[in-house]
Structures are given as structure tokens and as C-alpha cells.
Amino acid sequence: MKLIVPVLMALLLCIAAPEASHAAPLKTHVAEFTVVGVPDSEALKVTLQGILTSRLTPSLVQLVEKPDQAEILVSGSYALFGTTFSLDALIKNRGDNSLTKVFEQGEGQENVIPAIGRLARKIDAELARKPATLAAATPAPPVPSPAAVPPGAKERHAIPSESSAQSSSGGWSSAPLDGEFVSMATGRTLPSGERELFLANERTIRAYLKGRELRQVAEITIPAPGKILAIDSADLDRDGTPELYVSIMDREFPGSRVYRFDGTAFALIADDQRWFFRGIGTDITSRTILVQEMAAGGTFYGDVRELVRAGNRFTTKNPQKLPRTGTIFNSLRVAGTAGSGYYVVLDGDGHLLLYSPGGAEVWKSSDSYGGSEKHFKHESLELLRSTGDQYRWTFLEQRITALKDGTLLVPHNTGTYTVGNNRSYNKHAMFAFEWNGAVLKEKWSTRPSPGYLADYAFDQDSGEVLQLEVVQRAGMFSKGRSVITTNRID
């Protein structure tokens, strides 16, 4: 009899343990950080808040925007003393008003983001203990059976965002890079397993090797007053060495360039190209480069054409007439069955539009997507007289990427201040769509993440989405910060 009671208790614990491990995520609000000891404290408050929220585990945390919606309140602080920093978090359980403190500290700016990752793991560990306490104060709603889910309900697919050291799902994040980068392109996968990665800000292009870490191997700067709008990579002559196609605005006209990258250095093979570039395809060995010219006054001109390389000379072929709202930067031609196809376009308001090969509009989304801060300007006396703005602003939209199975990847940036031509985005998400013959149907989307998504690429071989995210804006005392993250599409 004495042995029966312990055995029964052990069985009960085994039965209860799976239930606890499948508790619903806790509604959590992470407040802006309190920052002490740094010059640009206002910008850093939001940046640290964003980095911490992106590293909390989604299975434990359901982020909410307002404190009164939350079961858990997290308040963070960052203090810098010389080169030593301290990261502290206060966790308040609104169910029983209990308070828990966790902290991390370290030396040097390069160790701040890894420390935030460790802080997030400590917060995760504390939250994993909370559901039983909250259950009494906040009854969970009943979980519907599969039969109760209404037909056609959206199925969300979350891409994990933890660092490779903490995540078994393939997520990875680089150390922060100084500067606000505007565009990204991928190169070859080397025998070592490292991947070539190219990043550009408005004046400089860098080549990196991405392995367990991001390692810079080359850099080149374009002549002033040129401004880099976008970079794309391809191997048009199929010699195994990538070329980098750089769309540049030089004063008020394109002055684009083409570089060859041999693994250690850039070599200029063409400059002063009077068109813009856009790479199409997820594999560098088969990727094509499209080009389009620009007319006087800052408007896109003529058909999109495919670029052909012959030595260091470039010609074009296969002209494609775009829909009336389409440009090289906001449209994509998607092949259909039996030689048919359609164009998908992101218009100036962020709506997705589908056009038939003949140019007829067949569908338009009710929601908005895309959102980019990249732009160029042209002086316009006509606009000055009609609107009071002496410039025509042209924004380069986010890439639309077609995967081999027909899925379309479309990013979405949102922000607190996006009035007129003044755009400042601070959250982003990724959406996947498929065309069912009548509408573009959403297949999945990621939950919003902090930071401005400047560019992204899809690696067909690994199934990873590589994202270029601006996590800190440039200011009087800072050049800004960017990171590269990778997440796998299952």
C-alpha cells in the first residue's frame, strides 16, 4: 500500500506535464527601455525594445501593443558605465502582482545584442513558470476543436527569429553592423559552406562571407555624388563568378555600374549605364537581370528588357511591356500554365494588383503591403506650382519574389510616421500568397517584428529568407545599425 500512493502520484505528474508544456502563450507587453549613460538615448529606447521582443519565444509570448491588454508586463533598462553595460528586466505578473528581476551585463557595444539574447532566454524561463499562476486569475478561453474552425480561416505560418546559438529551427542573426544599409544581394555558396553576401549603403558596397558569423572580405565606394538605390547579383556569362549590378542615381539621371567579384575584390567592368537593374530568380546560376530606362523628369520609360553580357559589353533582348502602373522596381511577371502568365504589381498605395498578359486589371487587394524608404527626387516646376513641393519623389518598392512552387513572397513595412513623402517604418512582416485563378490567396504570414526591413533575399537551396533590417536609425551621435537575420521556410 505504501508503494501504491507514490506510483499514482508519479502517474498523475506524467499526465499533467504535457498539459503544462502546451499552455497558451502569455499576452505580454514589452515597454520602451530606460536608457542611461549614452548620448542618443531616445532612439536606443525603441531599438532595445525591438531587439528584445524579436528574441522572445513565440510559443511562450503573445506580444500585445498596450499594457492594459497584457497578462505580463516587461520593463527593461540599459545603463552604460565606461565600457561596461548592464541590461535589467523587471517582469510583472498581473495575475498575482508578483515581480521578478533578471539581468545581463558585459563589455563593449559588440556584446550588447548577444546579451539581449541571453536576457530573453531568462525571461522565457520565468514566463514558462507563470501559466499555472495566471490560470486562476485569467481563465483561458476554450480551445475550439478542428471541426469548430470556420472554413477558409487563415492559417498563419510563423518564421522563427532566434539566433542560431539558441534555436534549433535554423534562425540566425548577425552581430550589428555600423550604418543604415539599403540593399542586399546573395552570391555563391562556397565549398566551405559559407555564403557570399553583398550589402550596400548609399555610397559603399561590402562583400561578406556568411558562416557561423558574418565576415567582411571586400569593400568599394562609388564616386560622389552618386547614390546607390539597389544592388542585384547574377552570373550572366555563366563563368561561375558573380557580377554585381548596382542601380545608381547620379544627380538626376541613372549612372549605374557593374562589378565582377572574384571572391576577394571587386573589379569594375561597366560604368555610366543609363538604366536601372532588377534581378529575377532565386538561384544565382540561372538568375536574369532586367533593365529599364528613365525619361527626363524622373519617370520610368519604355519596356523592361532582359540584359545580355558579352565580355564587358551589354545589350538587351526580349522586351516586355509592363502594365500601366508597373515599373522595374514594383512589378513581377509570373509564368502560368501552357505559356500563359500574369503581372503582379505593388502600386503607390501598397495594393497588390494582378494584370493579364494583355494588360487588363483582373484583381486588386483590399489591404496594403510593401513599404519602402528608398527613393530618388527630381525637381519639377509643375509640381511646385500645383502642390508647393518642388520635387517629384519616386519610391522604390519592396521586391516580390516568386518561388519554384508558385508562392509569392511579399514583405510589409509599417510605421508610426508615414505621412506623404516622410516615411519612417519600424515594424515588418512577411506574407506568402498563391494565385488560385480568382484571387491572390494568403498562405501564411509572420508575426510583426521590430525594425525596418530594407531588403531581403530567398535562398532556394537552403529554404532560408535572408533579411536586411535597420534596427537603429542614424542620428547626430550614431551612424545607425543594421543586422542580417535568416529564417527557414518550412
Side-chain angles (χ1 to χ4, degrees):
M1 184 65 183
K2 290 181 180 179
L3 291 174
I4 293 176
V5 174
V7 170
L8 288 174
M9 290 297 293
L11 288 172
L12 288 172
L13 288 172
C14 291
I15 295 171
E19 294 298 323
S21 66
H22 289 83
L26 296 171
K27 294 180 179 179
T28 303
H29 173 77
V30 179
E32 290 185 6
F33 271 58
T34 300
V35 176
V36 178
V38 297
D40 193 13
S41 60
E42 290 301 316
L44 197 56
K45 290 177 182 179
V46 179
T47 300
L48 294 173
Q49 175 197 30
I51 295 173
L52 178 61
T53 55
S54 69
R55 281 152 177 76
L56 295 174
T57 301
S59 61
L60 295 170
V61 171
Q62 177 188 343
L63 295 173
V64 295
E65 292 188 4
K66 298 179 180 179
D68 57 8
Q69 300 171 333
E71 300 166 307
I72 298 291
L73 301 175
V74 178
S75 303
S77 66
Y78 172 82
L80 183 64
F81 307 95
T83 61
T84 302
F85 65 83
S86 178
L87 287 161
D88 298 79
L90 180 65
I91 307 166
K92 181 177 180 180
N93 181 343
R94 296 185 69 190
D96 59 7
N97 289 321
S98 62
L99 297 174
T100 306
K101 293 181 180 181
V102 293
F103 74 94
E104 279 289 334
Q105 63 185 43
E107 293 276 342
Q109 290 185 350
E110 69 278 6
N111 292 314
V112 172
I113 288 185
I116 293 179
R118 297 192 299 271
L119 186 71
R121 300 289 74 77
K122 289 184 177 181
I123 295 174
D124 285 342
E126 292 298 327
L127 297 187
R129 304 187 184 104
K130 301 293 183 185
T133 306
L134 282 170
T138 312
V143 178
S145 65
V149 178
K154 292 181 180 179
E155 180 181 348
R156 301 280 180 172
H157 175 108
I159 298 180
S161 59
E162 299 176 45
S163 68
S164 59
Q166 304 292 339
S167 172
S168 60
S169 56
W172 175 88
S173 177
S174 73
L177 306 171
D178 285 336
E180 289 189 40
F181 288 90
V182 299
S183 192
M184 174 176 65
T186 57
R188 301 165 292 188
T189 300
L190 304 182
S192 64
E194 294 177 303
R195 183 65 182 260
E196 291 175 334
L197 192 61
F198 306 103
L199 302 179
N201 57 31
E202 291 188 352
R203 293 289 311 285
T204 303
I205 305 165
R206 294 179 185 173
Y208 290 88
L209 287 180
K210 176 194 169 296
R212 292 179 61 86
E213 298 178 349
L214 206 58
R215 178 165 56 91
Q216 183 177 337
V217 293
E219 179 177 309
I220 195 166
T221 300
I222 67 166
K227 173 184 175 181
I228 297 174
L229 300 176
I231 58 174
D232 290 273
S233 59
D235 181 12
L236 294 191
D237 59 0
R238 306 297 188 246
D239 67 349
T241 302
E243 307 104 36
L244 201 63
Y245 295 85
V246 187
S247 296
I248 298 172
M249 180 62 77
D250 189 348
R251 298 172 182 88
E252 292 197 346
F253 293 94
S256 300
R257 293 182 155 218
V258 182
Y259 293 92
R260 184 176 184 269
F261 182 70
D262 64 3
T264 59
F266 293 102
L268 179 66
I269 59 177
D271 64 352
D272 199 27
Q273 302 296 296
R274 295 300 179 179
W275 46 47
F276 294 125
F277 303 114
R278 186 58 121 189
I280 303 297
T282 58
D283 186 346
I284 192 171
T285 61
S286 59
R287 188 175 300 148
T288 58
I289 297 292
L290 301 181
V291 300
Q292 188 177 25
E293 297 179 62
M294 194 182 71
T299 58
F300 293 96
Y301 170 76
D303 298 336
V304 166
R305 298 172 179 268
E306 184 179 338
L307 193 65
V308 178
R309 180 185 177 188
N312 289 349
R313 294 183 62 254
F314 292 90
T315 57
T316 62
K317 65 178 183 179
N318 299 335
Q320 303 173 20
K321 187 173 182 59
L322 293 176
R324 61 180 180 83
T325 58
T327 73
I328 191 172
F329 291 116
N330 73 353
S331 61
L332 177 70
R333 187 178 186 276
V334 182
T337 58
S340 64
Y342 60 90
Y343 277 97
V344 58
V345 174
L346 268 170
D347 71 9
D349 295 320
H351 296 291
L352 283 168
L353 292 92
L354 259 74
Y355 292 89
S356 69
E361 181 183 317
V362 296
W363 182 81
K364 181 178 181 178
S365 70
S366 57
D367 296 326
S368 295
Y369 302 92
S372 172
E373 296 179 10
K374 288 183 288 188
H375 68 276
F376 58 85
K377 299 188 296 185
H378 271 75
E379 282 192 309
S380 172
L381 292 177
E382 180 183 347
L383 280 177
L384 180 61
R385 287 191 293 265
S386 60
T387 67
D389 190 340
Q390 70 180 98
Y391 295 105
R392 173 182 287 110
W393 295 59
T394 302
F395 286 88
L396 280 63
E397 257 306 343
Q398 293 286 341
R399 300 176 190 269
I400 304 171
T401 302
L403 308 188
K404 288 183 177 180
D405 64 357
T407 299
L408 296 179
L409 297 184
V410 182
H412 186 202
N413 278 307
T414 56
T416 54
Y417 188 66
T418 56
V419 180
N421 295 321
N422 297 309
R423 300 186 178 188
S424 180
Y425 297 105
N426 53 26
K427 288 184 180 180
H428 66 272
M430 187 70 71
F431 289 77
F433 296 90
E434 62 180 353
W435 175 243
N436 64 8
V439 299
L440 267 184
K441 183 180 178 182
E442 184 183 321
K443 295 177 65 175
W444 52 258
S445 67
T446 64
R447 64 187 181 95
S449 297
Y452 164 57
L453 180 66
D455 204 355
Y456 77 99
F458 179 71
D459 186 335
Q460 187 72 55
D461 292 336
S462 66
E464 289 181 327
V465 176
L466 293 87
Q467 298 185 140
L468 170 60
E469 304 172 18
V470 176
V471 295
Q472 182 181 351
R473 300 291 180 172
M476 186 177 299
F477 302 104
S478 170
K479 296 179 181 179
R481 291 289 185 91
S482 304
V483 297
I484 303 296
T485 62
T486 66
N487 295 289
R488 190 180 307 278
I489 295 180
D490 298 325

